[in-house]
């Protein structure tokens, strides 16, 4: 068992800032909500499922965790998203959220460990989230394609 030191700090409430799991979860939330202004129960369910995959990878190999740990970590990204909405003028909400999406996507791309496999995984998960409510909108497709271009990988659609 190899515990991630960042996870240990997070458990103790000593972490500051956002890490790659928070940043990626934020992208999932934004994709689901910004593209049609509705965060459906199916989208939240799919985001939660994918978040558990990220979480289990983040904490360290063989480290046990609980469902409430996963939800607590995901809530951090939801709260971040909500803070931007709550602190923005109504006419500026979309602009500020999209700016944060752009910053997050670029931040991930700039990480030393970022690679094609991770980028493709995130893009495929974004597609799963988009399809989870039964409606695949053109702007959801466009968002995924734009991100794939930024990350220099083939779009899954």
């Amino acid at each position: 068992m190899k515990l991630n030191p960042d996870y240990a700090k997070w458990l103790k409430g000593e972490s500051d800032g956002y890490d790659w799991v928070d940043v990626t979860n934020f992208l999932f939330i934004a994709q689901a909500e910004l593209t049609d202004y509705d965060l459906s129960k199916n989208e939240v369910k799919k985001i939660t499922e994918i978040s558990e995959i990220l979480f289990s990878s983040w904490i360290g190999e063989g480290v046990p965790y609980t469902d409430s740990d996963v939800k607590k970590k995901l809530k951090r990204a939801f709260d971040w998203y909500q803070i931007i909405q709550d602190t923005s003028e109504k006419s500026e909400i979309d602009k500020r959220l999209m700016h944060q999406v752009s910053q997050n996507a670029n931040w991930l791309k700039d990480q030393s460990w970022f690679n094609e496999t991770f980028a493709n995984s995130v893009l495929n998960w974004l597609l799963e989230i988009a399809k989870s409510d039964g409606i695949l909108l053109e702007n959801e497709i466009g968002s995924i394609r734009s991100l794939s271009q930024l990350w220099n990988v083939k779009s899954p659609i």
Side-chain angles (χ1 to χ4, degrees):
M1 184 167 75
K2 185 174 181 186
L3 180 70
N4 176 351
D6 292 334
Y7 172 59
K9 286 174 65 176
W10 178 77
L11 280 175
K12 295 176 187 176
E14 297 173 355
S15 63
D16 53 339
Y18 298 108
D19 57 44
W20 70 268
V21 177
D22 302 320
V23 167
T24 307
N25 281 336
F26 187 99
L27 291 177
F28 296 152
I29 296 162
Q31 170 73 13
E33 202 275 332
L34 277 173
T35 53
D36 63 3
Y37 298 104
D38 179 43
L39 192 57
S40 73
K41 287 182 183 181
N42 285 340
E43 288 171 322
V44 172
K45 181 180 176 192
K46 181 55 73 176
I47 291 168
T48 303
E49 290 170 10
I50 296 166
S51 180
E52 182 170 0
I53 295 167
L54 296 178
F55 188 86
S56 66
S57 174
W58 175 65
I59 63 174
E61 189 175 330
V63 177
Y65 62 91
T66 67
D67 188 50
S68 62
D69 288 338
V70 174
K71 289 179 180 172
K72 181 180 173 186
K73 185 69 170 159
L74 181 56
K75 184 180 180 313
R76 185 167 165 80
F78 273 108
D79 289 348
W80 180 13
Y81 191 86
Q82 189 64 49
I83 287 167
I84 293 172
Q85 288 183 321
D86 292 346
T87 60
S88 301
E89 294 292 325
K90 192 170 182 107
S91 63
E92 294 289 311
I93 292 173
D94 285 356
K95 182 179 175 184
R96 287 197 56 212
L97 287 169
M98 289 306 299
H99 177 72
Q100 190 62 60
V101 165
S102 177
Q103 283 187 312
N104 288 8
N106 280 299
W107 183 86
L108 284 170
K109 182 181 178 184
D110 291 342
Q111 299 309 298
S112 62
W113 49 261
F114 184 85
N115 60 31
E116 187 175 342
T117 300
F118 182 79
N120 285 325
S121 294
V122 172
L123 292 167
N124 284 311
W125 286 325
L126 288 168
L127 183 57
E128 284 182 41
I129 293 164
K131 289 180 175 179
S132 69
D133 63 1
I135 305 165
L136 185 59
L137 300 173
E138 190 59 39
N139 57 345
E140 290 171 316
I141 294 168
S143 175
I144 292 168
R145 286 181 177 158
S146 292
L147 193 53
S148 68
Q149 287 176 340
L150 173 70
W151 289 345
N152 298 313
V153 296
K154 186 176 185 233
S155 175
I157 49 175

